[in-house]
C-alpha cells in the first residue's frame, strides 16, 4: 500500500508505468467482495421475502411471470455494495486488501474513502424503495427521498463541476464577468454576483456571494438522480434486463474510470473505481438468481438503487470539469434514457398521464418478436454497442462527442414521434374501415355487439401490435 503521505515525485514516477489492467488488479478485491456477498445474500433475502409475503403477484397482463416471485432482491444488492465499501475502508489500514494506485492529488490515504454523501444517498434510496416494496408508499414520498439523496451529493459538491465545465467556457465566450470566491489556496473563479446588504443589519455580513455555477450544478444533480432512478425503474420489466444492462454500462464506465486513474485525473479517481467495481460485482452476483426464469426480483428497492449508483458514477466522471465525459457516460447508459424518452413522448401524444403504464416499452416490443430471453439478449447487445461507442469516444475530442450526441438525440426524438403516431394511425385506419368512430363509445376501439358475438377490433389491434 502507498505510504500515508504520498510524495508527488514518487507518485509521478510510479504513474509512468501504470496501466488500466494494473489499476484493476489492485482494486479487484472490491469486485470479488461485492459479487460473493450479493450471490450469498440473494437466496437469504428470497426466503425472507417469501416468509413475510413480500412477493409480486402476476396480476398485470403485462408481466412475464405466471407464478408469484419474491421481492427484496434490491436489499441483497445493497448488502453487496455496503460490504464492498466497508472492504475499501478496511484496506486503508490493512495492506494486502487493496493496492491503491499512485496519485499526486491525495496526501492522506483516508481521502480515498467513499464520501459520506454517496453512502447516505444509497441508504436513503434503498430504504424508500424497500418501503414501497413492503407496504407501498406514495410517489411523492419516493421523489422526496431521491431529492434528499441529490441534496446530499450537492452538499458534497459531487457533480457540481459538471456545470462549471459548461458555464465557465460559455461565460468567457460571451464576455460575462466572473468573480472570485474563497481565500488563499481555496480561491476559485466562478460565474456569480455579490449581494450588498444594508449596514443597518449588524448580525449579517456586508456582502453575500452567489455562486451560479454551484446552483446550476445542484439542479443538474437533481435532474440526474430523478431521471436515472426512474429510468432504471421503467426498464425493469423482464427477468435480468436491468441487472444486465446496468452491468454492461458500468463496465464501460469502469474502463473510462481506470483510464482517468492512470492519468491521475483528480482526487476522486479511487472513488470512481471502487464504486464501479462494487456495482459491477453486485449486479453479476445477483444476475444468476434474476435471469429468466427469475426466482427473485430487484423491486423498486433495487431498480432505484442501481439507477442512483449509475448516475453518481457518471457525475463523478466530470469532477475535474471534463463535462464531455459526463455526456459520454449518458451515451453509455443510453437504453434507459431512450426508453424513458419514448415513453414520455408516446404518452404525451396519446393524451395520457406520464405515470400511466403501457406495454410499448422497448423490451415489450422486442419480447413480442423475440421472446423474453431473445429480447433481453438483444438489449444486452445494444447496450454493449453503446458502451463500446462511449469508450471509443472517450479517446476523442469533446466537439466530436457533442456532434455524436446531437445525432443521437435527434434519432431518439424522431423515433419517439414515429412510435407514438403509428398506433394512432393504425387505430384511425381500423375505425374507418369498420365504420366505427371511437368518439361514439366510452371505450376506444370497442364495438357494440350483441351478446355472444366476437369483437374483431381489439383482436385486429392486438395482431397489429404483435407484428410491430
Amino acid at each position: 500500500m502507498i505510504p500515508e503521505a504520498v510524495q508527488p515525485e514518487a507518485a509521478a514516477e510510479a504513474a509512468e508505468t501504470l496501466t488500466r489492467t494494473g489499476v484493476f488488479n489492485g482494486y479487484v478485491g472490491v469486485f470479488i467482495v461485492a459479487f460473493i456477498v450479493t450471490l450469498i445474500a440473494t437466496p437469504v433475502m428470497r426466503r425472507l421475502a417469501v416468509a413475510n409475503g413480500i412477493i409480486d403477484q402476476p396480476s398485470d397482463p403485462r408481466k412475464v411471470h405466471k407464478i408469484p416471485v419474491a421481492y427484496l432482491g434490491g436489499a441483497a444488492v445493497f448488502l453487496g455494495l455496503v460490504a464492498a465499501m466497508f472492504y475499501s475502508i478496511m484496506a486503508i489500514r490493512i495492506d494486502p486488501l487493496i493496492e491503491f494506485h499512485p496519485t499526486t492529488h491525495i496526501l492522506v490515504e483516508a481521502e480515498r474513502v467513499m464520501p459520506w454523501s454517496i453512502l447516505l444517498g444509497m441508504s436513503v434510496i434503498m430504504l424508500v424503495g424497500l418501503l414501497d416494496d413492503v407496504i407501498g408508499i406514495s410517489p411523492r414520498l419516493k421523489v422526496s427521498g431521491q431529492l434528499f439523496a441529490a441534496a446530499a451529493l450537492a452538499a458534497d459538491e459531487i457533480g457540481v463541476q459538471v456545470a462549471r465545465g459548461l458555464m465557465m467556457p460559455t461565460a468567457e465566450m460571451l464576455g460575462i464577468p466572473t468573480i472570485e470566491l474563497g481565500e488563499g489556496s481555496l480561491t476559485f473563479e466562478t460565474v456569480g454576483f455579490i449581494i450588498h446588504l444594508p449596514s443597518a443589519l449588524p448580525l449579517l455580513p456586508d456582502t453575500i456571494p452567489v455562486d451560479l455555477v454551484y446552483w446550476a450544478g445542484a439542479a443538474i444533480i437533481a435532474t440526474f438522480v430523478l431521471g436515472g432512478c426512474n429510468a432504471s425503474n421503467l426498464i425493469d420489466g423482464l427477468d435480468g434486463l436491468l441487472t444486465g444492462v446496468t452491468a454492461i454500462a458500468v463496465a464501460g464506465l469502469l474502463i473510462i474510470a481506470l483510464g482517468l486513474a492512470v492519468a491521475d485525473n483528480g482526487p476522486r479517481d479511487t472513488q470512481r473505481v471502487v464504486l464501479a467495481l462494487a456495482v459491477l460485482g453486485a449486479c453479476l452476483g445477483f444476475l444468476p438468481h434474476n435471469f429468466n426464469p427469475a426466482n427473485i426480483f430487484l423491486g423498486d428497492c433495487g431498480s432505484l438503487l442501481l439507477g442512483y449508483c449509475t448516475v453518481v458514477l457518471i457525475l463523478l466522471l466530470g469532477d475535474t470539469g471534463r463535462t464531455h465525459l459526463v455526456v459520454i457516460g449518458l451515451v453509455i447508459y443510453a437504453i434507459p434514457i431512450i426508453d424513458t424518452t419514448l415513453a414520455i413522448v408516446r404518452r404525451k401524444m396519446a393524451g395520457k398521464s406520464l405515470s400511466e403504464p403501457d406495454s410499448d416499452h422497448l423490451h415489450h416490443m422486442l419480447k413480442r418478436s423475440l421472446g423474453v430471453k431473445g429480447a433481453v439478449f438483444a438489449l444486452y447487445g445494444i447496450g454493449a454497442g453503446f458502451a463500446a461507442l462511449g469508450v471509443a469516444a472517450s479517446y476523442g475530442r469533446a466537439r466530436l462527442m457533442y456532434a455524436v450526441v446531437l445525432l443521437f438525440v435527434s434519432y431518439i426524438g424522431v423515433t419517439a414521434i414515429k412510435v407514438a403516431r403509428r398506433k394512432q394511425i393504425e387505430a384511425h385506419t381500423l375505425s374507418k374501415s369498420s365504420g366505427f368512430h371511437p368518439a361514439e363509445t366510452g371505450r376506444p376501439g370497442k364495438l357494440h355487439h350483441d351478446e355472444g358475438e366476437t369483437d374483431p377490433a381489439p383482436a385486429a389491434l392486438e395482431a397489429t401490435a404483435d407484428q410491430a
Side-chain angles (χ1 to χ4, degrees):
M1 192 177 76
I2 302 175
E4 177 124 343
V6 181
Q7 297 298 326
E9 297 82 2
E13 291 177 3
E16 291 180 359
T17 59
L18 199 63
T19 64
R20 281 186 171 91
T21 304
V23 176
F24 177 82
N25 288 335
Y27 290 88
V28 72
V30 176
F31 170 84
I32 295 173
V33 169
F35 175 81
I36 293 176
V37 171
T38 306
L39 189 69
I40 296 174
T42 299
V44 175
M45 288 299 164
R46 180 180 177 275
R47 294 190 185 95
L48 185 62
V50 172
N52 291 274
I54 308 173
I55 55 178
D56 184 24
Q57 298 288 351
S59 56
D60 193 327
R62 295 178 299 117
K63 294 182 178 180
V64 175
H65 61 288
K66 304 303 179 185
I67 61 174
V69 178
Y71 274 141
L72 296 188
V77 172
F78 178 76
L79 290 177
L81 292 174
V82 170
M85 303 302 173
F86 180 75
Y87 176 88
S88 67
I89 294 173
M90 294 297 296
I92 296 176
R93 300 299 180 188
I94 304 175
D95 290 351
L97 296 183
I98 291 179
E99 184 180 345
F100 291 106
H101 73 283
T103 176
T104 59
H105 296 282
I106 294 178
L107 298 180
V108 180
E109 289 295 301
E111 296 179 6
R112 295 182 184 268
V113 175
M114 191 62 58
W116 64 268
S117 55
I118 295 178
L119 297 175
L120 177 61
M122 286 171 48
S123 302
V124 171
I125 292 291
M126 187 278 298
L127 288 174
V128 168
L130 184 62
L131 287 175
D132 191 48
D133 291 334
V134 175
I135 62 176
I137 59 176
S138 67
R140 290 184 179 180
L141 188 56
K142 287 198 291 185
V143 170
S144 298
Q146 294 165 26
L147 289 177
F148 180 88
L153 294 177
D156 201 21
E157 296 195 5
I158 294 179
V160 172
Q161 297 301 325
V162 176
R164 185 175 303 278
L166 288 172
M167 295 183 66
M168 292 302 293
T170 303
E172 182 179 352
M173 181 178 62
L174 298 178
I176 299 175
T178 59
I179 62 173
E180 287 191 352
L181 296 179
E183 295 180 358
S185 60
L186 299 178
T187 301
F188 61 94
E189 189 179 30
T190 186
V191 179
F193 56 90
I194 302 294
I195 298 177
H196 296 276
L197 299 176
S199 57
L201 301 174
L203 297 179
L204 296 177
D206 295 335
T207 60
I208 297 179
V210 177
D211 187 352
L212 294 180
V213 170
Y214 174 81
W215 291 108
I220 290 174
I221 294 168
T223 302
F224 269 56
V225 171
L226 288 174
C229 289
N230 291 284
S232 293
N233 194 25
L234 281 178
I235 71 164
D236 188 24
L238 295 180
D239 297 351
L241 177 58
L242 175 59
T243 311
V245 166
T246 302
I248 292 169
V250 170
L253 296 173
L254 173 62
I255 294 174
I256 297 177
L258 291 172
L260 293 176
V262 171
D264 197 14
N265 177 252
R268 297 197 187 274
D269 284 338
T270 297
Q271 297 168 8
R272 281 189 289 257
V273 174
V274 168
L275 180 59
L277 286 171
V279 176
L280 182 59
C283 286
L284 294 182
F286 182 71
L287 189 57
H289 303 282
N290 185 232
F291 195 76
N292 184 262
N295 58 22
I296 188 170
F297 291 154
L298 282 167
D300 280 6
C301 171
S303 61
L304 297 179
L305 177 62
L306 289 183
Y308 171 80
C309 290
T310 306
V311 297
V312 169
L313 187 54
I314 292 173
L315 287 171
L316 284 173
L317 293 179
D319 181 67
T320 55
R322 297 190 179 189
T323 306
H324 69 285
L325 291 181
V326 176
V327 178
I328 289 173
L330 294 176
V331 172
I332 291 176
Y333 203 52
I335 290 180
I337 298 173
I338 292 174
D339 189 56
T340 302
T341 305
L342 290 172
I344 292 173
V345 175
R346 182 174 65 246
R347 293 168 188 175
K348 272 291 187 181
M349 294 188 67
K352 298 180 180 179
S353 170
L354 295 181
S355 60
E356 184 175 348
D358 59 33
S359 58
D360 289 318
H361 290 281
L362 291 175
H363 53 272
H364 289 138
M365 292 187 285
L366 288 171
K367 179 177 74 71
R368 287 193 282 265
S369 300
L370 304 174
V372 176
K373 290 184 179 179
V376 170
F377 280 124
L379 288 171
Y380 283 178
I382 295 172
F386 279 117
L389 173 63
V391 172
S394 67
Y395 290 94
R397 301 182 63 181
R399 292 181 181 179
L400 174 62
M401 192 61 243
Y402 294 148
V404 172
V405 170
L406 176 62
L407 295 175
F408 173 71
V409 173
S410 300
Y411 275 103
I412 291 178
V414 172
T415 303
I417 294 174
K418 286 170 61 179
V419 170
R421 290 289 296 166
R422 184 183 62 193
K423 282 202 168 185
Q424 294 180 357
I425 294 173
E426 289 174 350
H428 178 70
T429 303
L430 189 62
S431 65
K432 289 187 66 176
S433 63
S434 61
F436 163 71
H437 299 284
E440 295 175 359
T441 71
R443 180 181 174 187
K446 177 70 175 175
L447 290 172
H448 291 290
H449 292 286
D450 294 333
E451 187 176 356
E453 292 183 5
T454 59
D455 183 359
L461 281 172
E462 183 177 355
T464 304
D466 287 341
Q467 293 173 0

